[in-house]
Amino acid sequence: MAQKYYAVRKGKKPGIYRTWPETQSQVSGFSGAQYKSFATAAEANAFMKGQAEAKTTAKQHQAIQTTTSPADADIIVYTDGGSRNTGNVAGGHVRAEDKAAWAYRIELPDRVEKGSDGEFGATNNRMEIMAFQNALQHLVELGVTDQQICFVLDSRYVLNAVTQGWLAGWKRRGWKRSAGPLANAELWQKVDHLLPQFSHLSYQWTKGHATNQGNVFVDHLLNETMDHMSGGNHTQMSTSEVAKVQTEATPKHGQTTAQSVADLSRSLQDFPLLDN
């Protein structure tokens, strides 16, 4: 495997590192971190000095899109969805009163954006798709569709749909699976409309609820949403409440994602979510 040079221009301890774990420890939770991986030490040093990077050819650019890691991305996005399925037994199904929610975390160079919402009687897959779709929509609203964006998610269903050609196949069949109806077809159509608006998307799978701090964060956020759901109706935060969560949960300079999870938990305890 070819060696990489990870240049951390802004982080806890700027410098050039040879492994991703070393690099991650310098940039994780650091607001406004700037870092990138390179094939040669010369390129890494040029990046550290702020010199413009050489333009890649179309073929090289395509290769980057299929191999990009979080260290290569300008923006990292974590998404997750979940359902508290009380009917999850032999022969059981999601019940109307079961809580479900989705969440995303968008790590921009200078700040963190996040969102979450809940729905009763929804499946885990539906929430995973909604997390992905809403993150894409928010990125469009932020006007960053031309930047290098890496999605980190634990749903192989969503990942395979986008990267293995499933989405294109469903579209060719009129939004149907070869074996029959396609669940959540309306959500997949929204995803299909959003994806072409992006120039540089890449994807990485991570084991859910394990050691990836970004994934742990969005899992915590969607569970907070479900904890505040009541009345059997779709829930959503008011605009002022969303602003409060985003302000208080955004990691401060040098703060870790784990600390922002704790801050989020405390801030959400201060107010209830509203029923529509």
Side-chain angles (χ1 to χ4, degrees), residues 81-85 94 97-102 117-124 126-127 222 225-226 229 234-235:
S83 174
R84 294 176 182 172
N85 181 2
V94 175
E97 65 273 18
D98 288 346
K99 297 178 180 180
W102 55 264
D117 207 349
E119 184 177 336
F120 282 86
T123 64
N124 182 77
R126 179 175 177 82
M127 294 296 97
L222 71 87
T225 297
M226 288 191 282
M229 292 171 66
H234 174 78
T235 66

Side-chain angles (χ1 to χ4, degrees), residues 174-204:
W175 298 106
K176 296 178 181 178
R177 297 165 54 243
S178 58
L182 173 65
N184 303 303
E186 79 287 357
L187 298 180
W188 285 121
Q189 289 178 54
K190 292 178 181 178
V191 169
D192 180 65
H193 174 72
L194 289 164
L195 286 176
Q197 300 180 51
F198 292 85
S199 303
H200 315 292
L201 285 180
S202 61
Y203 307 89
Q204 183 179 83

